[in-house]
Amino acid sequence: MGLPTKRSTPQPYEDYSQVLNFVIWVLAGYATIFIFLRLWGKYYRGRRLWWDDYLLIFSWLALILGCIFQTVDTTLGFGRSQHAIPLENIENSRLLATIAGFFLILAAAWSKTSFGLTLVRLTRTDGFLKRLVWFAIWTTNIFIAGSCIIQWAHCWPLDRIWRQEVPGGKCLPLGLMNGYNMFVAAYSGAVDVMLALLPCKIFWPLMMRRKEKIGITIAMGMGVFAGIASFMKILAIHNVNRPRAGPGKSKLWSQAENNDLT
């Protein structure tokens, strides 16, 4: 049985597609400027790139690819309530959303790992802090890897993810998926806040001018905002299945979290 050719009655719906497009590219532009300044600064001072720099570049590439796929998807109706997407676009929209989500998950994982590796170098002389950072890196990547797997394996056969009419197809319960995603968002947000606060302990005892300490601490503490975005994403995921709701709010907060490339 194919998809119906028309909807029964028009219903009110939320549409975040235009806002989503604007926000993702503004934040991607911010991330691009930051990456450029970081690499230019290292080149200007004659310093070699390290693993944290390479991971940050890969994170930026994944972010841009995710933004591209999401932008294309908004032309098909992504960002609206499910019932407001044209029926002929639903399958392509779901496929593009899955691909975009996968790249954005990678961007988040790699950016957090990059910042963690930077802190590993800074905490080289403090055994406890170094072990704490490594613990945060490994656990966050394990949980986010679970999100990547669920992104592609929550339905079987595979094309059941974007095709609802596959004979015999099954999917994991939506409540289970949302519950796991909310757990990952909460853990990821807590790790962001913790890593953002570590520079205070690292730099404050050093023999530096007070202004320099404050400047470095603020610059490296921007991850607090990524943590806040993660916590806001939990509320958006919780509300995403309301009858008139679309995935727009959760994607907006996901984008804010993913653009923390500090």
Side-chain angles (χ1 to χ4, degrees):
M1 181 184 297
L3 291 169
T5 57
K6 62 180 181 179
R7 308 225 182 242
S8 54
T9 56
Q11 301 178 46
Y13 61 89
E14 295 179 348
D15 186 353
Y16 290 95
S17 56
Q18 297 302 317
V19 175
L20 181 62
N21 264 339
F22 175 78
V23 170
I24 64 175
W25 286 110
V26 168
L27 293 177
Y30 153 75
T32 302
I33 293 172
F34 172 80
I35 287 284
F36 172 79
L37 292 175
R38 175 170 173 151
L39 297 180
W40 179 83
K42 290 212 166 187
Y43 172 79
Y44 180 78
R45 290 178 291 172
R47 298 178 59 184
R48 296 174 57 186
L49 300 183
W50 197 59
W51 285 107
D52 55 348
D53 300 301
Y54 291 118
L55 264 179
L56 203 60
I57 293 171
F58 284 124
S59 174
W60 176 80
L61 290 174
L63 174 67
I64 296 301
L65 286 173
C67 288
I68 291 172
F69 280 108
Q70 262 190 198
T71 298
V72 175
D73 199 6
T74 58
T75 66
L76 302 178
F78 181 79
R80 305 176 188 174
S81 303
Q82 183 71 18
H83 68 267
I85 300 176
L87 292 171
E88 64 274 15
N89 294 347
I90 287 179
E91 290 185 3
N92 289 334
S93 178
R94 286 174 177 160
L95 177 58
L96 288 173
T98 302
I99 296 172
F102 176 73
F103 279 116
L104 292 176
I105 291 172
L106 287 182
W110 289 341
S111 66
K112 295 176 195 299
T113 304
S114 171
F115 186 63
L117 290 177
T118 300
L119 291 177
V120 165
R121 287 196 294 172
L122 296 174
T123 58
R124 191 169 296 169
T125 59
D126 191 321
F128 171 75
L129 286 183
K130 187 175 182 179
R131 289 191 295 271
L132 179 63
V133 173
W134 274 119
F135 176 80
I137 290 174
W138 279 106
T139 52
T140 302
N141 274 276
I142 289 171
F143 293 141
I144 292 181
S147 292
C148 285
I149 293 172
I150 289 177
Q151 188 81 4
W152 288 105
H154 68 274
C155 289
W156 55 95
L158 178 63
D159 57 350
R160 177 69 170 78
I161 296 174
W162 58 89
R163 293 178 58 205
Q164 298 297 297
E165 303 299 323
V166 176
K170 295 182 179 180
C171 293
L172 293 175
L174 188 60
L176 177 63
M177 293 172 54
N178 285 345
Y180 182 79
N181 287 332
M182 285 190 286
F183 162 73
V184 173
Y187 188 84
S188 177
V191 168
D192 281 328
V193 173
M194 183 197 73
L195 295 180
L197 295 178
L198 279 182
C200 295
K201 180 172 178 57
I202 295 171
F203 290 104
W204 213 253
L206 299 180
M207 299 296 294
M208 300 171 60
R209 288 185 298 177
R210 189 180 184 87
K211 290 183 178 179
E212 292 176 343
K213 292 180 182 180
I214 294 175
I216 293 174
T217 301
I218 292 176
M220 299 192 71
M222 298 299 288
V224 169
F225 295 104
I228 294 173
S230 292
F231 299 139
M232 295 301 297
K233 186 169 66 175
I234 295 173
L235 298 177
I237 293 173
H238 178 71
N239 294 325
V240 75
N241 292 314
R242 290 184 297 111
R244 293 175 52 192
K249 287 184 179 178
S250 63
K251 290 299 180 181
L252 287 173
W253 290 114
S254 295
Q255 198 71 23
E257 177 194 11
N258 296 334
N259 276 276
D260 178 55
L261 299 182
T262 53

